[in-house]
Amino acid sequence: MARKASLSGYLELLPAERLTELHMLDTLRQVFEVHGFSPLETRAVETVETLLQKGEIDQEIYAISRIHEDEGAGREAKLALRFDNTVPFARYVTENAGHLAFPFRRYQIQKVWRGERPQAGRFREFSQADIDIVGDGALPFRCDVEIAIVMARALEALRIGEFSLRVNNRKLSEGFYRSIGLTDTAAVLRIVDKLEKVGPSQVAEELRRTAGASAEQAQRALELAQIRTGDGSFAEKVRALVGDEPSALLQEGLDELSELMSVLNTRVPGRAMADLSIARGLDYYTGTVIETLLHGHEDLGSICSGGRYESLASKGKRVFPGVGLSIGVTRLLSALLSSGELAASRSVPTVVYVTLRTSEDWGAAQDVADQLRSRGISAEVALSAEKFGKQIKYADRRGIPFVWFTDDLGRHEVKDIRSGTQEETDPSSWAPPTEDLTPQIIRKTEDP
């Protein structure tokens, strides 16, 4: 991962690294599907108008055009590459609502593009893995709970190390800000969301300058943001700050976050933290908000984030509320590969390299390989009958663990070139140890 890229911001992987990425994608797909999420793929290109519905991100959009424009090109809609999976998904839901069964559960693993400055962990082209549950008109709160559980289980299945889901509820935050006299809650949420990046003093200053907060209001907003608990005790801390009876909005946020924390601590114990500094800067979030911290890689920021939205997708008077979370797969992968924490046990899927005694044996060697392949064992056949020592060295360089030999009498032997063990065998029944059947993804603290 320390290789110099010929084009900055675009990641190209070596074979072993790509196997690690595929393992991550397959693991996510399996976890999502076992929880009932359907696969979805949307087009790479959207109209600029569609993408700009999310907010002021025009500097991040890659606009596209043909090199040779037609005379009528000026009348066509301006096009751009998608910068996330959420906005295209909202468009997809409104266009296909008549063909979907709600609540609609989907996962989507695709490339996205952003025109931002490349730096460590930031790419112009990268893969995201999203899950969402979308309703028609209404969506039960338990969907917020379920989607958090599913994502926690997906991250556990990836074996990326210890992580924490940092959860909050914007109803709670907004209700509290209103209770202390701050009416521009959208501005306050955006400012508080910067707390970890700029620190409390700068947040307080910006609250006073931008959101019209007094020094006392700014201090109380910071007191709320500093509440962090691993259980439901955050609710008492909030009530202690409010003093009087909480407003209906604040109480609804407290109830929802309490339920979320309770169920998460039951289903995925030790993974959730109620963190009332989490706000998510985008205005369309309306309730649950989640960010995920990977311990030991705090510099990455949130590796998985999202939340509840009531009207990201709409069609006339028909509204499609939803809740969703997204993992920045490429960002996470590059960090773990660079640190050496995650690696593939070998660089090729091939289990067996079938050698040639003579050039005329190539057809017979293919028969051996096909018998192995028919039982799901990846096999590769030598292209020329070099000395066995050279064929073994080639297999070793490729990372292939087993080498197959056939003598002039048709007897078969297989050699584990890692241990040197060689035994007589039969291509119709031989199988490698289970751990050798496919490349294994290991952490540096684990044995291959």
Side-chain angles (χ1 to χ4, degrees), residues 243-278:
D244 298 326
E245 190 72 21
S247 68
L249 183 63
L250 175 54
Q251 187 61 55
E252 186 177 356
L254 284 169
D255 292 342
E256 289 185 353
L257 187 55
S258 295
E259 181 181 346
L260 179 62
M261 284 296 296
S262 175
V263 180
L264 285 174
N265 281 332
T266 299
R267 298 290 179 184
V268 284
R271 296 301 188 189
M273 171 74 68
D275 184 340
L276 305 196
S277 70
I278 302 302

Tab-separated table of all heavy atoms in Angstrom, residues 243-278:
chain	number	residue	atom	x	y	z
A	243	GLY	N	-33.778	20.522	33.671
A	243	GLY	CA	-34.416	21.094	34.860
A	243	GLY	C	-35.904	20.859	34.862
A	243	GLY	O	-36.390	19.959	35.535
A	244	ASP	N	-36.661	21.644	34.107
A	244	ASP	CA	-38.110	21.499	34.058
A	244	ASP	C	-38.501	20.257	33.280
A	244	ASP	O	-37.669	19.529	32.744
A	244	ASP	CB	-38.744	22.742	33.416
A	244	ASP	CG	-38.474	24.001	34.224
A	244	ASP	OD1	-38.409	23.895	35.478
A	244	ASP	OD2	-38.316	25.065	33.610
A	245	GLU	N	-39.798	20.018	33.167
A	245	GLU	CA	-40.316	18.889	32.397
A	245	GLU	C	-39.869	19.022	30.943
A	245	GLU	O	-40.061	20.048	30.317
A	245	GLU	CB	-41.856	18.883	32.468
A	245	GLU	CG	-42.498	17.637	31.903
A	245	GLU	CD	-42.294	16.425	32.799
A	245	GLU	OE1	-42.015	16.605	34.006
A	245	GLU	OE2	-42.392	15.306	32.270
A	246	PRO	N	-39.237	17.969	30.371
A	246	PRO	CA	-38.762	18.073	28.981
A	246	PRO	C	-39.913	18.243	28.001
A	246	PRO	O	-41.026	17.764	28.239
A	246	PRO	CB	-38.032	16.741	28.755
A	246	PRO	CG	-38.544	15.819	29.807
A	246	PRO	CD	-38.916	16.670	30.977
A	247	SER	N	-39.622	18.927	26.908
A	247	SER	CA	-40.635	19.108	25.866
A	247	SER	C	-40.971	17.773	25.220
A	247	SER	O	-40.247	16.779	25.388
A	247	SER	CB	-40.109	20.071	24.794
A	247	SER	OG	-39.026	19.463	24.088
A	248	ALA	N	-42.082	17.751	24.470
A	248	ALA	CA	-42.502	16.513	23.806
A	248	ALA	C	-41.430	16.024	22.839
A	248	ALA	O	-41.153	14.822	22.757
A	248	ALA	CB	-43.821	16.751	23.073
A	249	LEU	N	-40.806	16.950	22.104
A	249	LEU	CA	-39.768	16.562	21.144
A	249	LEU	C	-38.556	15.991	21.850
A	249	LEU	O	-38.022	14.939	21.444
A	249	LEU	CB	-39.362	17.774	20.304
A	249	LEU	CG	-38.322	17.514	19.207
A	249	LEU	CD1	-38.869	16.544	18.168
A	249	LEU	CD2	-37.888	18.825	18.549
A	250	LEU	N	-38.127	16.651	22.924
A	250	LEU	CA	-36.986	16.164	23.685
A	250	LEU	C	-37.286	14.800	24.300
A	250	LEU	O	-36.445	13.887	24.267
A	250	LEU	CB	-36.610	17.174	24.767
A	250	LEU	CG	-35.506	16.788	25.757
A	250	LEU	CD1	-34.243	16.366	25.031
A	250	LEU	CD2	-35.222	17.948	26.714
A	251	GLN	N	-38.479	14.633	24.849
A	251	GLN	CA	-38.846	13.362	25.463
A	251	GLN	C	-38.885	12.235	24.429
A	251	GLN	O	-38.449	11.112	24.694
A	251	GLN	CB	-40.217	13.474	26.150
A	251	GLN	CG	-40.598	12.236	26.948
A	251	GLN	CD	-39.616	11.947	28.070
A	251	GLN	OE1	-39.343	12.803	28.916
A	251	GLN	NE2	-39.043	10.744	28.063
A	252	GLU	N	-39.392	12.554	23.226
A	252	GLU	CA	-39.424	11.545	22.158
A	252	GLU	C	-38.007	11.106	21.797
A	252	GLU	O	-37.736	9.917	21.604
A	252	GLU	CB	-40.142	12.103	20.929
A	252	GLU	CG	-40.345	11.075	19.825
A	252	GLU	CD	-41.118	11.632	18.644
A	252	GLU	OE1	-41.566	12.800	18.700
A	252	GLU	OE2	-41.267	10.896	17.655
A	253	GLY	N	-37.092	12.072	21.721
A	253	GLY	CA	-35.700	11.728	21.428
A	253	GLY	C	-35.072	10.891	22.527
A	253	GLY	O	-34.322	9.942	22.249
A	254	LEU	N	-35.360	11.239	23.782
A	254	LEU	CA	-34.844	10.453	24.906
A	254	LEU	C	-35.373	9.027	24.866
A	254	LEU	O	-34.624	8.060	25.076
A	254	LEU	CB	-35.241	11.117	26.228
A	254	LEU	CG	-34.463	12.362	26.651
A	254	LEU	CD1	-35.157	13.043	27.826
A	254	LEU	CD2	-33.026	11.998	27.017
A	255	ASP	N	-36.672	8.881	24.600
A	255	ASP	CA	-37.280	7.545	24.561
A	255	ASP	C	-36.683	6.697	23.443
A	255	ASP	O	-36.365	5.509	23.639
A	255	ASP	CB	-38.795	7.656	24.370
A	255	ASP	CG	-39.502	8.254	25.583
A	255	ASP	OD1	-38.882	8.261	26.679
A	255	ASP	OD2	-40.657	8.702	25.441
A	256	GLU	N	-36.519	7.303	22.258
A	256	GLU	CA	-35.989	6.544	21.121
A	256	GLU	C	-34.540	6.134	21.360
A	256	GLU	O	-34.158	4.986	21.106
A	256	GLU	CB	-36.111	7.367	19.837
A	256	GLU	CG	-37.541	7.513	19.348
A	256	GLU	CD	-37.652	8.229	18.020
A	256	GLU	OE1	-36.623	8.750	17.524
A	256	GLU	OE2	-38.771	8.288	17.469
A	257	LEU	N	-33.726	7.058	21.857
A	257	LEU	CA	-32.320	6.729	22.093
A	257	LEU	C	-32.180	5.707	23.215
A	257	LEU	O	-31.318	4.820	23.149
A	257	LEU	CB	-31.535	7.997	22.413
A	257	LEU	CG	-30.011	7.833	22.526
A	257	LEU	CD1	-29.432	7.205	21.266
A	257	LEU	CD2	-29.344	9.176	22.816
A	258	SER	N	-33.036	5.794	24.218
A	258	SER	CA	-33.009	4.809	25.311
A	258	SER	C	-33.343	3.421	24.787
A	258	SER	O	-32.689	2.431	25.146
A	258	SER	CB	-33.996	5.212	26.412
A	258	SER	OG	-33.621	6.425	27.030
A	259	GLU	N	-34.351	3.334	23.922
A	259	GLU	CA	-34.711	2.037	23.341
A	259	GLU	C	-33.583	1.498	22.476
A	259	GLU	O	-33.243	0.303	22.531
A	259	GLU	CB	-35.994	2.170	22.509
A	259	GLU	CG	-36.448	0.863	21.886
A	259	GLU	CD	-37.708	1.009	21.054
A	259	GLU	OE1	-38.396	2.045	21.162
A	259	GLU	OE2	-38.017	0.066	20.282
A	260	LEU	N	-32.994	2.379	21.673
A	260	LEU	CA	-31.893	1.955	20.812
A	260	LEU	C	-30.729	1.407	21.630
A	260	LEU	O	-30.192	0.328	21.336
A	260	LEU	CB	-31.425	3.134	19.953
A	260	LEU	CG	-30.258	2.887	18.984
A	260	LEU	CD1	-30.635	1.833	17.955
A	260	LEU	CD2	-29.852	4.182	18.302
A	261	MET	N	-30.325	2.124	22.660
A	261	MET	CA	-29.209	1.679	23.496
A	261	MET	C	-29.521	0.371	24.205
A	261	MET	O	-28.667	-0.521	24.294
A	261	MET	CB	-28.871	2.762	24.524
A	261	MET	CG	-28.101	3.943	23.951
A	261	MET	SD	-26.457	3.474	23.347
A	261	MET	CE	-25.667	2.961	24.878
A	262	SER	N	-30.747	0.233	24.679
A	262	SER	CA	-31.132	-0.977	25.393
A	262	SER	C	-31.040	-2.210	24.507
A	262	SER	O	-30.463	-3.228	24.885
A	262	SER	CB	-32.554	-0.823	25.942
A	262	SER	OG	-32.988	-2.019	26.548
A	263	VAL	N	-31.582	-2.108	23.303
A	263	VAL	CA	-31.580	-3.266	22.404
A	263	VAL	C	-30.169	-3.553	21.887
A	263	VAL	O	-29.761	-4.715	21.784
A	263	VAL	CB	-32.564	-3.059	21.231
A	263	VAL	CG1	-32.553	-4.279	20.309
A	263	VAL	CG2	-33.975	-2.820	21.758
A	264	LEU	N	-29.409	-2.514	21.564
A	264	LEU	CA	-28.039	-2.735	21.101
A	264	LEU	C	-27.203	-3.426	22.176
A	264	LEU	O	-26.417	-4.338	21.873
A	264	LEU	CB	-27.387	-1.406	20.712
A	264	LEU	CG	-27.833	-0.783	19.390
A	264	LEU	CD1	-27.213	0.598	19.216
A	264	LEU	CD2	-27.462	-1.667	18.209
A	265	ASN	N	-27.368	-3.027	23.420
A	265	ASN	CA	-26.593	-3.649	24.492
A	265	ASN	C	-27.009	-5.092	24.741
A	265	ASN	O	-26.244	-5.868	25.321
A	265	ASN	CB	-26.714	-2.828	25.774
A	265	ASN	CG	-25.807	-1.615	25.764
A	265	ASN	OD1	-24.763	-1.624	25.125
A	265	ASN	ND2	-26.205	-0.556	26.450
A	266	THR	N	-28.211	-5.457	24.283
A	266	THR	CA	-28.658	-6.846	24.379
A	266	THR	C	-28.176	-7.667	23.185
A	266	THR	O	-27.671	-8.777	23.341
A	266	THR	CB	-30.198	-6.910	24.447
A	266	THR	OG1	-30.641	-6.213	25.604
A	266	THR	CG2	-30.683	-8.352	24.500
A	267	ARG	N	-28.332	-7.116	21.966
A	267	ARG	CA	-28.038	-7.867	20.741
A	267	ARG	C	-26.556	-7.843	20.369
A	267	ARG	O	-26.026	-8.831	19.869
A	267	ARG	CB	-28.854	-7.291	19.577
A	267	ARG	CG	-30.361	-7.382	19.765
A	267	ARG	CD	-30.830	-8.808	19.682
A	267	ARG	NE	-32.269	-8.900	19.893
A	267	ARG	CZ	-32.937	-10.051	19.948
A	267	ARG	NH1	-32.282	-11.190	19.804
A	267	ARG	NH2	-34.236	-10.057	20.156
A	268	VAL	N	-25.905	-6.712	20.555
A	268	VAL	CA	-24.470	-6.588	20.233
A	268	VAL	C	-23.781	-5.907	21.416
A	268	VAL	O	-23.343	-4.759	21.315
A	268	VAL	CB	-24.246	-5.812	18.915
A	268	VAL	CG1	-24.548	-6.673	17.711
A	268	VAL	CG2	-25.096	-4.530	18.852
A	269	PRO	N	-23.692	-6.593	22.545
A	269	PRO	CA	-23.194	-5.969	23.775
A	269	PRO	C	-21.795	-5.376	23.615
A	269	PRO	O	-20.929	-5.942	22.951
A	269	PRO	CB	-23.205	-7.121	24.783
A	269	PRO	CG	-23.280	-8.371	23.965
A	269	PRO	CD	-24.001	-8.016	22.730
A	270	GLY	N	-21.623	-4.199	24.243
A	270	GLY	CA	-20.327	-3.548	24.244
A	270	GLY	C	-20.004	-2.752	23.002
A	270	GLY	O	-18.920	-2.168	22.907
A	271	ARG	N	-20.932	-2.700	22.043
A	271	ARG	CA	-20.645	-2.018	20.780
A	271	ARG	C	-21.216	-0.598	20.705
A	271	ARG	O	-20.822	0.155	19.822
A	271	ARG	CB	-21.214	-2.831	19.610
A	271	ARG	CG	-20.582	-4.193	19.418
A	271	ARG	CD	-19.095	-4.089	19.182
A	271	ARG	NE	-18.504	-5.362	18.806
A	271	ARG	CZ	-17.206	-5.574	18.711
A	271	ARG	NH1	-16.362	-4.600	18.984
A	271	ARG	NH2	-16.745	-6.752	18.354
A	272	ALA	N	-22.115	-0.233	21.595
A	272	ALA	CA	-22.811	1.057	21.457
A	272	ALA	C	-22.408	2.038	22.552
A	272	ALA	O	-22.185	1.660	23.705
A	272	ALA	CB	-24.314	0.852	21.481
A	273	MET	N	-22.339	3.299	22.170
A	273	MET	CA	-22.065	4.391	23.098
A	273	MET	C	-23.016	5.541	22.785
A	273	MET	O	-23.063	6.014	21.645
A	273	MET	CB	-20.618	4.865	22.950
A	273	MET	CG	-20.280	6.135	23.708
A	273	MET	SD	-20.147	5.896	25.492
A	273	MET	CE	-18.674	4.874	25.590
A	274	ALA	N	-23.809	5.940	23.771
A	274	ALA	CA	-24.638	7.132	23.594
A	274	ALA	C	-23.716	8.338	23.678
A	274	ALA	O	-23.112	8.607	24.709
A	274	ALA	CB	-25.709	7.199	24.666
A	275	ASP	N	-23.579	9.038	22.554
A	275	ASP	CA	-22.660	10.174	22.459
A	275	ASP	C	-23.457	11.363	21.931
A	275	ASP	O	-23.764	11.440	20.740
A	275	ASP	CB	-21.511	9.818	21.512
A	275	ASP	CG	-20.456	10.909	21.432
A	275	ASP	OD1	-20.765	12.064	21.776
A	275	ASP	OD2	-19.319	10.603	21.020
A	276	LEU	N	-23.785	12.297	22.809
A	276	LEU	CA	-24.683	13.378	22.433
A	276	LEU	C	-23.986	14.520	21.696
A	276	LEU	O	-24.604	15.540	21.416
A	276	LEU	CB	-25.413	13.905	23.671
A	276	LEU	CG	-26.177	12.834	24.470
A	276	LEU	CD1	-27.156	13.480	25.419
A	276	LEU	CD2	-26.880	11.831	23.578
A	277	SER	N	-22.712	14.303	21.312
A	277	SER	CA	-22.043	15.252	20.428
A	277	SER	C	-22.289	14.910	18.958
A	277	SER	O	-22.053	15.740	18.076
A	277	SER	CB	-20.533	15.259	20.685
A	277	SER	OG	-19.933	14.048	20.246
A	278	ILE	N	-22.766	13.689	18.699
A	278	ILE	CA	-22.978	13.258	17.312
A	278	ILE	C	-24.222	13.958	16.769
A	278	ILE	O	-25.307	13.849	17.339
A	278	ILE	CB	-23.153	11.727	17.219
A	278	ILE	CG1	-21.909	11.024	17.797
A	278	ILE	CG2	-23.394	11.306	15.785
A	278	ILE	CD1	-20.615	11.387	17.117
